[in-house]
Amino acid sequence: MKRFNTYDAYKIRYDGRRFDQIRNVNFKFGLYPHADGSVYFEQGCTKVICAVYGPRQSRIRTSDDLCHINCQFSLSSFATQSKKKAQRSMEAGRLLERTLKSVIDRSAYPKTRVDIFCEIIQGDGSHLAACINAASLALVDAGIPVKGVVSAVECGVTRGYICTDLNGSEVRSSAPKIVLATLDGKRESIMVDYKNCLHINQMERMIEAGFDANEKIYACLREAILLRTEDLRKVVAVKEL
Amino acid sequence: MKVEITGPIKRTKPFENDKDVGDIKIVVPGTVISNRTDFMSGHGTFYSNDDIVASVAGAVRQVNKLLTVQPFKSRYSPDVGDVIVGRVVEVQQKRWKVDINSISEGLLALANVSLPGGELRRKSAEDEMRMRMYMEEGDLVVAEVLNVQSDAIQLQARTLRYGKLGQGLLVKVSPSLMKRRKTHFHDLHFGAKLILARNGWVWIEPPSDGQMSATGGYTHSDEL
């Protein structure tokens, strides 16, 4: 049975969003009290838990004695509709590590390590982007100095239209898509992960759409941090200088 | 508690510089606090071209020309003179490495410890061999921060009130809840003793039967 093409007819996607609309963002901090920073992050139906430990003593010595960043990205076995063994993606973990390495102030704490663990408990597209957003929130929750708040979004071409914040049914293995990460919502990318083939004329439009969507996601993350900071302020003693 | 956000919400203007709650300015990492020429950047801030930008989420504090951002929740960062409770993780040649829930481990040198019996004497080579008899991996110790360097936190346990801890209960809370006070050792009226350490570890000791003062803080348990 052929699905009615709402893309051409009404210029909306199958889940009711416009092409440039992001999904609902939901969050909860402090899930793991013994972790230095932890957050439960939802982007539509994609649910991610991120825990950050650090900076703490490290046995591993990096060059220049900088802080060692260790990222783990894993997809639970119950996360997607197809029953799979729990997967730990090395590639996504590396991308996450490189994104966060450029953002964390590594020289502030020499000879230490920061461990970031991301677990996708429900996957509905934009896995890497949701993990970057969650890790960004968890890092700020842990009080680790960062250059800014990282936001990420996954954009792709669906039925000929450039759509942002792809969900599970829109992410197809052969369709071109990019994961674009920016800092503080500015129009400068700090990480781009590009898959499959795209016409050169479309690339610029895709990146522009990615920047636009990132501004919106950044506004959500920023609001989340402000709410969390206000909550903490009520509980914690503010040091008198 | 469930909070749902659909895109940017109305009450915050996008890219508003900061949020004022009473007299305290709360910032998000990445917000520009001030111009470089007027102030110097302290903890929690960094220079970016001509601006001072916050690197943690917290309250902006200004002391004369120094701007710092104090995060409300972070790993314990020791100040000189803080009372801390730690757990020994390693016995090295002339010192113990102590885990104090901070960025790096604390170092308790043999020279900075008063030996059992309460005497303060110069430590000999034999004492070095007997370090393990006093404290080994897994033991809890109460000490004071002597010096804080970039990669090492030096501790000292010279007075009688510091040293190895015996039987009791350890409770861990967030270090941001511990205010600095005149004394961190408390005697509860029914005899139990309480140590509120600045690194967030609280030690509760059962009432003793007068042994403490005689041995100068050294307790020996016969149980395995």
Side-chain angles (χ1 to χ4, degrees):
Chain A
M1 186 189 104
K2 213 175 172 188
R3 223 170 166 180
F4 177 62
N5 190 339
T6 57
Y7 288 78
D8 293 329
Y10 303 116
K11 296 274 186 293
I12 59 166
R13 293 140 92 173
Y14 286 138
D15 57 0
R17 287 186 286 155
R18 292 189 312 270
F19 299 139
D20 60 348
Q21 204 171 339
I22 58 170
R23 293 179 283 182
N24 280 1
V25 165
N26 197 359
F27 62 91
K28 186 170 171 128
F29 282 97
L31 234 66
Y32 294 111
H34 54 271
D36 292 303
S38 60
V39 71
Y40 162 74
F41 185 76
E42 276 180 22
Q43 206 169 315
C45 288
T46 301
K47 300 177 169 63
V48 178
I49 295 183
C50 184
V52 166
Y53 294 85
R56 50 184 181 174
Q57 192 76 15
S58 170
R59 302 273 173 258
I60 302 169
R61 290 277 177 269
T62 58
S63 59
D64 299 331
D65 273 339
L66 295 171
C67 183
H68 173 77
I69 315 280
N70 175 38
C71 284
Q72 185 185 307
F73 172 101
S74 59
L75 183 72
S76 299
S77 53
F78 46 82
T80 47
Q81 282 185 331
S82 54
K83 214 166 93 171
K84 278 186 211 158
K85 258 174 60 176
Q87 290 175 357
R88 194 179 292 186
S89 170
M90 293 292 290
E91 188 199 344
R94 273 270 183 244
L95 285 169
L96 188 64
E97 186 188 316
R98 285 186 15 209
T99 314
L100 298 175
K101 255 186 186 164
S102 62
V103 157
I104 297 176
D105 183 8
R106 297 176 70 201
S107 52
Y109 303 114
K111 297 181 191 163
T112 55
R113 64 181 295 154
V114 171
D115 295 294
I116 299 147
F117 301 103
C118 284
E119 176 97 19
I120 300 174
I121 55 176
Q122 185 173 323
D124 187 31
S126 299
H127 295 169
L128 179 59
C131 280
I132 292 176
N133 293 329
S136 177
L137 286 179
L139 280 175
V140 174
D141 186 41
I144 294 174
V146 287
K147 293 204 178 91
V149 178
V150 185
S151 59
V153 77
E154 184 158 359
C155 306
V157 175
T158 327
R159 297 202 176 247
Y161 297 94
I162 291 177
C163 300
T164 61
D165 199 7
L166 305 175
N167 64 22
S169 51
E170 289 169 341
V171 173
R172 239 165 294 279
S173 48
S174 57
K177 49 186 177 289
I178 60 165
V179 177
L180 182 71
T182 61
L183 194 66
D184 295 334
K186 296 189 187 131
R187 298 186 89 82
E188 292 169 351
S189 69
I190 62 168
M191 192 277 286
V192 180
D193 177 41
Y194 163 57
K195 286 191 162 62
N196 300 316
C197 301
L198 185 66
H199 197 279
I200 189 78
N201 295 342
Q202 296 269 45
M203 179 57 108
E204 202 184 312
R205 282 176 44 202
M206 185 112 104
I207 294 199
E208 284 303 311
F211 281 144
D212 291 334
N214 260 316
E215 276 176 24
K216 296 173 188 167
I217 297 213
Y218 169 67
C220 295
L221 296 182
R222 189 171 173 273
E223 194 62 30
I225 295 171
L226 279 172
L227 287 170
R228 170 64 168 170
T229 313
E230 268 182 68
D231 278 340
L232 282 177
R233 185 178 167 266
K234 292 175 198 159
V235 184
V236 155
V238 178
K239 211 196 288 190
E240 281 89 27
L241 282 168
Chain B
M1 184 206 84
K2 192 172 177 178
V3 182
E4 207 171 289
I5 293 182
T6 312
I9 65 176
K10 278 186 197 144
R11 69 184 178 97
T12 307
K13 289 180 279 237
F15 312 124
E16 192 182 275
N17 223 357
D18 45 52
K19 209 152 194 266
D20 279 358
V21 185
D23 52 339
I24 295 180
K25 214 156 108 167
I26 293 192
V27 288
V28 153
T31 34
V32 174
I33 311 176
S34 166
N35 205 296
R36 189 183 188 142
T37 50
D38 301 327
F39 296 98
M40 287 190 302
S41 81
H43 286 299
T45 59
F46 65 95
Y47 287 122
S48 166
N49 302 330
D50 281 330
D51 302 316
I52 293 181
V53 183
S55 62
V56 289
V60 179
R61 307 304 237 152
Q62 184 194 326
V63 178
N64 299 332
K65 280 202 135 198
L66 184 71
L67 273 181
T68 59
V69 179
Q70 182 208 339
F72 295 124
K73 177 183 164 198
S74 69
R75 278 236 145 185
Y76 168 61
S77 67
D79 295 318
V80 176
D82 277 352
V83 172
I84 51 107
V85 164
R87 197 177 284 275
V88 176
V89 288
E90 202 181 326
V91 182
Q92 290 184 340
Q93 188 132 34
K94 273 192 193 150
R95 63 187 187 185
W96 290 274
K97 267 206 169 167
V98 181
D99 168 34
I100 55 173
N101 190 32
S102 179
I103 293 159
S104 61
E105 284 161 351
L107 304 166
L108 184 60
L110 180 61
N112 287 330
V113 156
S114 65
L115 287 176
E119 354 162 12
L120 286 174
R121 56 180 170 78
R122 209 180 165 83
K123 313 294 194 294
S124 64
E126 289 175 343
D127 290 316
E128 227 175 285
M129 302 300 170
R130 289 204 293 255
M131 273 176 76
R132 205 168 273 277
M133 284 168 59
Y134 175 46
M135 271 196 306
E136 56 174 7
E137 288 90 346
D139 285 339
L140 282 172
V141 60
V142 58
E144 191 179 276
V145 177
L146 181 64
N147 196 5
V148 177
Q149 285 158 348
S150 61
D151 54 348
I153 301 164
Q154 282 164 7
L155 309 170
Q156 63 101 337
R158 288 197 141 238
T159 55
L160 290 179
R161 55 197 355 218
Y162 300 129
K164 178 172 149 176
L165 292 168
Q167 301 294 323
L169 190 71
L170 183 72
V171 177
K172 294 183 185 178
V173 300
S174 168
S176 357
L177 294 171
M178 296 302 210
K179 287 188 184 185
R180 186 153 173 175
R181 285 285 178 264
K182 272 210 186 112
T183 172
H184 291 263
F185 295 84
H186 303 275
D187 289 331
L188 300 173
H189 65 93
F190 43 85
K193 290 191 177 29
L194 190 67
I195 304 178
L196 296 169
R198 281 273 290 156
N199 62 335
W201 291 9
V202 176
W203 175 254
I204 306 165
E205 209 168 287
S208 66
D209 37 348
Q211 274 182 357
M212 287 294 267
S213 41
T215 59
Y218 174 68
T219 53
H220 178 79
S221 173
D222 286 317
E223 292 166 29
L224 280 164

